[in-house]
């Protein structure tokens, strides 16, 4: 019969690899968090205080409160088919700034630059929408320089 404790089933989830065992570095304590910032919740098993529940491990949320040693994070959780916004407080050792918006912000910056360079003319404005990668260009594979090799299974 499986156990039903608070940390049940977290042997691999809360384990660290050989190179990262031990206490967290000072950088995790000196990181500043601001309200509205996206953060990734990644529980650090070396620090038991302020550790989030195993459900929130690996989730991304938005900071709604900052205290001296912890941050309040809003995380979406699906309960009985409904998506609820859960507010949890997690110590800073278990949180790191998320990189989920980097590509979006970079795209916004380049689009604004393109708009500025194009000026007021709507005719000169290139399309700013992302385009899917099309099919690769056609090419011919020549057999001149390559040797044909027959593959046969090895006999026992």
């Amino acid at each position: 019969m499986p156990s039903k404790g608070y940390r049940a089933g977290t042997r691999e989830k809360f384990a660290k690899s050989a190179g990262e065992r031990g206490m967290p570095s000072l950088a995790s304590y000196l990181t500043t968090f601001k309200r509205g910032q996206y953060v990734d919740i990644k529980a650090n098993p070396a620090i038991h205080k302020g550790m989030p529940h195993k459900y929130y491990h690996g989730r991304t949320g938005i900071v709604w409160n900052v205290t001296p040693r912890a941050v309040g994070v809003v995380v979406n959780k699906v309960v009985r088919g409904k998506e609820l916004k859960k507010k949890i407080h997690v110590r800073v050792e278990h949180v790191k700034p998320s990189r989920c918006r980097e590509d979006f912000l970079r795209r916004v910056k380049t689009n604004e630059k393109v708009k500025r360079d194009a000026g007021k003319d709507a005719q000169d404005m290139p399309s700013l929408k992302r385009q899917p990668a099309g099919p690769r260009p056609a090419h011919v594979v020549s057999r001149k320089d390559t040797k044909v090799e027959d593959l046969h299974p090895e006999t026992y």
Side-chain angles (χ1 to χ4, degrees), residues 10-90:
T10 61
R11 173 181 276 185
E12 284 84 20
K13 186 177 276 194
F14 288 165
K16 287 183 169 183
S17 65
E20 57 183 23
R21 288 204 180 103
M23 301 308 280
S25 64
L26 282 178
S28 63
Y29 293 101
L30 297 175
T31 306
T32 56
F33 295 100
K34 297 178 181 174
R35 289 174 57 198
Q37 182 179 355
Y38 280 78
V39 291
D40 294 331
I41 299 172
K42 184 181 176 189
N44 187 343
I47 308 295
H48 297 163
K49 266 190 164 182
M51 183 184 280
H53 188 264
K54 60 188 173 186
Y55 173 83
Y56 300 105
H57 181 79
R59 307 272 170 175
T60 300
I62 301 173
V63 175
W64 67 275
N65 187 21
V66 179
T67 62
R69 290 178 195 85
V71 290
V73 183
V74 178
V75 185
N76 291 335
K77 182 177 182 180
V78 177
V79 179
R80 295 186 183 176
K82 291 183 285 189
E83 195 171 273
L84 305 177
K85 292 194 179 302
K86 305 281 284 189
K87 287 184 171 183
I88 60 171
H89 276 90
V90 184

Side-chain angles (χ1 to χ4, degrees), residues 71-119:
V71 290
V73 183
V74 178
V75 185
N76 291 335
K77 182 177 182 180
V78 177
V79 179
R80 295 186 183 176
K82 291 183 285 189
E83 195 171 273
L84 305 177
K85 292 194 179 302
K86 305 281 284 189
K87 287 184 171 183
I88 60 171
H89 276 90
V90 184
R91 278 177 76 108
V92 292
E93 298 96 321
H94 308 291
V95 169
K96 63 177 186 173
S98 181
R99 299 182 59 194
C100 65
R101 286 177 56 87
E102 280 183 2
D103 185 45
F104 169 71
L105 295 173
R106 184 171 46 250
R107 210 169 60 242
V108 167
K109 191 180 283 187
T110 57
N111 285 353
E112 291 301 320
K113 185 176 184 292
V114 168
K115 285 181 193 174
R116 224 177 308 114
D117 294 345

